[in-house]
Amino acid sequence: SQKIEQNSEALNIQEGKTATLTCNYTNYSPAYLQWYRQDPGRGPVFLLLIRENEKEKRKERLKVTFDTTLKQSLFHITASQPADSATYLCALVPSYNTDKLIFGTGTRLQVFP
Amino acid sequence: DAEITQSPRHKITETGRQVTLACHQTWNHNNMFWYRQDLGHGLRLIHYSYGVQDTNKGEVSDGYSVSRSNTEDLPLTLESAASSQTSVYFCASSPFSSDKIYEQYFGPGTRLTVT
């Protein structure tokens, strides 16, 4: 079956460390993948998009990698801050035949001072 | 500033009632989407629209309908509310892109409880 997996357990890290979140997928050949941030009681906010022919994308302290062989995307936040605490969602477009996003369930990140 | 708003933010209704959730965006985006978010399921697509008079069914469309009479609004109607439709509903919009690659802008959500 087709699915997107994100670690359902919260990731707890200390301020200043690098947080790494994982998004694995099966039975998809995504054209591209996106990462969103969601704070409690609010809608998701777009962070980064990476295409299938891109290995890595950066934006300030954020970095996303996309390995189509491993069927995995990694999302890194360097020099993490308590304000980075949120749930992070990955979403992909499952193939070139569609433009609708499929979302993972998200991973909650807690950054402690 | 452009934005996307949803109303009401919270709604309690009874089983069998018709309910309409409003979504309004001032981005002038062609594409609009409705999702529901439930614990353990992530965001699931209910209906979407690529422009005025265009509507399409998503993954979980049973029991829901939408209409698009202008660019700014995509109201979501629950024809006969059921307890299984208790959820948080998010509206989103995105601009037209020739390569169909675009980010989505989400509203703040509506928490609906069906009793």
Side-chain angles (χ1 to χ4, degrees):
Chain A
S1 63
Q2 297 176 315
K3 57 183 177 180
I4 302 173
E5 291 184 328
Q6 295 186 258
N7 195 339
S8 58
E9 293 184 11
L11 177 63
N12 300 312
I13 65 167
Q14 193 172 20
E15 182 176 11
K17 302 290 186 183
T18 296
T20 298
L21 285 69
T22 304
C23 177
N24 294 303
Y25 58 91
T26 55
N27 295 326
Y28 288 119
S29 297
Y32 62 93
L33 190 145
Q34 300 181 5
W35 283 88
Y36 288 79
R37 170 186 172 137
Q38 186 173 23
D39 291 286
R42 310 188 83 160
V45 175
F46 171 80
L47 296 174
L48 280 169
L49 178 153
I50 187 165
R51 299 168 191 247
E52 63 157 355
N53 60 351
E54 297 175 319
K55 296 293 186 187
E56 182 179 298
K57 204 76 166 289
R58 291 176 185 262
K59 179 182 177 182
E60 299 172 352
R61 294 185 296 111
L62 309 180
K63 184 179 83 171
V64 172
T65 63
F66 193 8
D67 189 325
T68 56
T69 300
L70 292 178
K71 295 186 180 297
Q72 179 181 81
S73 175
L74 299 179
F75 177 80
H76 307 272
I77 305 176
T78 58
S80 59
Q81 305 165 359
D84 294 325
S85 298
T87 295
Y88 292 86
L89 311 175
C90 76
L92 57 81
V93 170
S95 72
Y96 281 103
N97 296 325
T98 180
D99 54 3
K100 293 180 286 299
L101 287 172
I102 308 294
F103 283 84
T105 54
T107 297
R108 191 162 65 90
L109 172 67
Q110 281 276 102
V111 181
F112 293 96
Chain B
D1 286 345
E3 60 178 357
I4 180 166
T5 57
Q6 293 183 235
S7 61
R9 295 295 314 279
H10 302 270
K11 174 79 175 178
I12 300 175
T13 192
E14 295 177 343
T15 301
R17 290 194 179 267
Q18 184 182 78
V19 176
T20 296
L21 309 182
C23 175
H24 179 80
Q25 53 101 359
T26 58
W27 294 99
N28 199 34
H29 287 163
N30 288 312
N31 307 332
M32 295 185 73
F33 308 83
W34 272 104
Y35 295 90
R36 60 178 289 174
Q37 187 174 40
D38 305 285
L39 204 60
H41 284 279
L43 286 157
R44 291 182 290 174
L45 184 63
I46 305 172
H47 282 286
Y48 59 102
S49 168
Y50 289 141
V52 177
Q53 302 301 332
D54 176 75
T55 61
N56 306 279
K57 294 181 179 180
E59 175 191 2
V60 291
S61 61
D62 287 349
Y64 304 94
S65 64
V66 293
S67 62
R68 186 93 180 268
S69 59
N70 58 51
T71 300
E72 296 80 18
D73 299 289
L74 187 70
L76 177 71
T77 297
L78 287 68
E79 304 294 345
S80 177
S83 58
S84 60
Q85 294 177 309
T86 292
S87 186
V88 180
Y89 291 86
F90 289 100
C91 180
S93 70
S94 66
F96 171 78
S97 170
S98 58
D99 62 359
K100 297 186 178 179
I101 296 179
Y102 37 67
E103 64 206 62
Q104 295 190 10
Y105 296 76
F106 283 82
T110 294
R111 182 174 295 276
L112 177 68
T113 302
V114 183
T115 62

